[in-house]
Amino acid sequence: MPAHLSPVIAATARWPTRSFPAPGGALSTALCEIQARQAVTVAARLRRPTPVDAELVGLAGPGGATRLDGVTGAEGLGSEPWRSWADEVVASRAACLLSDAGLAARAVAALPPGSGAYHRLLFPDPTDRRAAALLRRPDLVSPVARLHEQSLPARLGHGSTPAA
């Protein structure tokens, strides 16, 4: 993975875990963060598939969390520096992946071979589902997912088939 995507992935994964926190204790929080990070990583790799794409986001920046906050009604959350590195399109696509298992399977299948393991995204067990209950509820994340939901299936192509 190109180095310029690392801050974007970290910031964008932080946004949903702050906006839709895990119920429960430290284990739930960690499992929720893992699932968010896996979804964001897949979405970022699909959005920025080449090293040149990653370099460009490193130069121009991804846009920030302002619109995401507005869509979810979470405006005025602060001005931590990481918020400027959140990528709205990646967050929107990650929300789609977390709430649609079939789409998540197609997205992971579209990545180049050897891109990593995404078990908690693709095959969440009951503990994973409880930890990321808010992240995986389509009715809660739909305002975020709707921002760019049409671009992800288009990127994956209509002929894609779910991974086994």
Side-chain angles (χ1 to χ4, degrees):
M1 173 175 31
H4 288 295
L5 285 182
S6 294
V8 172
I9 290 169
T12 306
R14 184 179 245 183
W15 183 86
T17 59
R18 293 272 179 102
S19 299
F20 305 101
L27 177 61
S28 289
T29 299
L31 291 174
C32 183
E33 288 172 358
I34 291 168
Q35 292 172 76
R37 186 155 184 119
Q38 287 185 0
V40 166
T41 300
V42 171
R45 299 220 40 210
L46 290 172
R47 177 156 164 75
R48 314 275 185 201
T50 69
V52 171
D53 293 321
E55 291 284 335
L56 289 174
V57 78
L59 292 172
T66 304
R67 185 168 177 211
L68 294 168
D69 292 342
V71 168
T72 59
E75 296 175 89
L77 289 179
S79 59
E80 297 102 337
W82 67 264
R83 298 175 65 69
S84 66
W85 279 95
D87 185 317
E88 171 190 314
V89 175
V90 172
S92 177
R93 289 178 176 184
C96 292
L97 298 177
L98 284 162
S99 59
D100 184 335
L103 189 59
R106 286 175 41 206
V108 170
L111 294 175
S115 294
Y118 300 97
H119 186 78
R120 292 201 186 275
L121 172 63
L122 297 176
F123 310 107
D125 64 25
T127 305
D128 291 328
R129 287 193 184 283
R130 279 190 303 277
L134 299 179
L135 283 179
R136 290 184 175 273
R137 280 197 44 192
D139 58 326
L140 290 179
V141 298
S142 65
V144 176
R146 265 194 301 250
L147 290 172
H148 302 281
E149 70 184 337
Q150 296 305 317
S151 65
L152 186 55
R155 166 69 178 88
L156 296 174
H158 298 291
S160 299
T161 57

